[in-house]
Amino acid sequence: VRYNPQNDVIERVPNCDILSYATISGMTISPAGSLWLSSSEGVSIITAKGEIRNINQRNSQLPMAIKNTFFDTYGNGWIGSSKGICLYIAADDIIKDGDFPKGFFNHIPDLKLHGNTEEIVAYDRLRIFYTDVAMKNYGELHLPQGILAENCMDALPMGNRQYWITTEKGLFLWNDANKTIARYGASTGLGGTVNGVTMTLDSDGVLWVGTSDGLKMLDTKTKAYLRKYSTQTVV
């Protein structure tokens, strides 16, 4: 559904029957300003003008059952699906499911994708994979035993082989270069349980994490203590 603030009305999206029964699993804004809805019925794209386009296995190489989409620094979309990873090539306006390098993790189903401008992570409940945008350097992160045993919720690369990871056990910072890990829990201000794909790093280096105890923020320059966001919070 969508909310119209001008008349305070919540209504179904018109002219898109798919959204009346599809299960939505992810939403993101593309560099072109369109809303991409990942769902059990493929991807529905709503432009700023309200134009709607549905992409699925009936009109593209994209399977059904899409987990989410992440757009990289070139504007290309990395799409996690029930059959593996597909790529939306913005310059050609096409979706392809091939041309990955040998040994890449694109064949693993149901991966969610996240990242920054130069690096992407793909993960499911128990595994995390990484790649640079050009797919020159890629592989799997091998964390200490038990870290991902409680369900990986989100992962976010920081650069310099460092990764923020949230699980049902809390927030972790994994340094893959020296194989060390730091845990942030109740004693460091996390509190509550971490929600789904909710980590975002802003331009000031502040990490935002959604939890059952509200929105938390962490200055990644100091990595000291999480604070709970409120309208009185000064960043």
Side-chain angles (χ1 to χ4, degrees):
V1 297
R2 66 181 184 182
Y3 170 68
N4 187 337
Q6 295 180 340
N7 55 18
D8 201 32
V9 171
I10 297 175
E11 60 185 358
R12 292 282 186 184
V13 177
N15 305 318
C16 190
D17 293 339
I18 284 179
L19 294 181
S20 66
Y21 59 84
T23 300
I24 306 298
S25 55
M27 300 195 306
T28 188
I29 302 295
S30 75
S34 299
L35 174 64
W36 282 53
L37 299 168
S38 302
S39 78
S40 56
E41 302 298 317
V43 173
S44 297
I45 303 172
I46 304 177
T47 69
K49 296 181 179 180
E51 300 166 335
I52 300 175
R53 175 186 177 191
N54 296 307
I55 305 176
N56 50 46
Q57 64 184 14
R58 290 185 286 271
N59 56 19
S60 74
Q61 295 181 352
L62 186 69
M64 297 296 201
I66 305 303
K67 302 300 288 187
N68 78 325
T69 302
F70 173 78
F71 288 92
D72 64 25
T73 187
Y74 299 110
N76 297 324
W78 296 66
I79 306 171
S81 80
S82 59
K83 293 186 178 180
I85 295 176
C86 298
L87 282 177
Y88 168 71
I89 308 302
D92 301 321
D93 192 29
I94 60 170
I95 291 177
K96 63 179 185 179
D97 60 0
D99 297 331
F100 290 93
K102 183 178 180 180
F104 205 74
F105 48 84
N106 58 290
H107 64 284
I108 299 176
D110 297 324
L111 293 176
K112 296 179 181 178
L113 296 119
H114 204 170
N116 56 33
T117 56
E118 297 298 332
E119 187 174 6
I120 295 167
V121 288
Y123 60 94
D124 58 18
R125 294 180 62 251
L126 300 174
R127 295 166 297 179
I128 301 176
F129 302 88
Y130 66 90
T131 181
D132 57 15
V133 173
M135 293 183 279
K136 300 291 186 181
N137 179 33
Y138 54 87
E140 181 176 359
L141 295 180
H142 297 285
L143 280 74
Q145 186 175 3
I147 297 298
L148 299 180
E150 297 296 326
N151 189 6
C152 180
M153 310 288 285
D154 198 0
L156 181 66
M158 278 283 292
N160 298 318
R161 297 175 63 183
Q162 297 188 79
Y163 302 85
W164 289 103
I165 300 165
T166 54
T167 77
E168 292 178 355
K169 289 186 176 181
L171 172 67
F172 299 86
L173 177 60
W174 170 247
N175 189 320
D176 198 53
N178 57 27
K179 308 301 180 186
T180 59
I181 195 162
R183 180 178 183 271
Y184 294 78
S187 62
T188 53
L190 183 62
T193 56
V194 178
N195 296 328
V197 185
T198 55
M199 278 196 297
T200 299
L201 185 69
D202 67 22
S203 58
D204 294 320
V206 175
L207 182 72
W208 299 82
V209 184
T211 78
S212 60
D213 186 41
L215 183 62
K216 301 298 179 72
M217 50 192 294
L218 174 68
D219 185 349
T220 60
K221 299 181 180 69
T222 62
K223 304 183 183 70
Y225 194 83
L226 286 105
R227 293 181 292 161
K228 186 173 183 177
Y229 175 78
S230 71
T231 54
Q232 286 77 41
T233 301
V234 177
V235 179

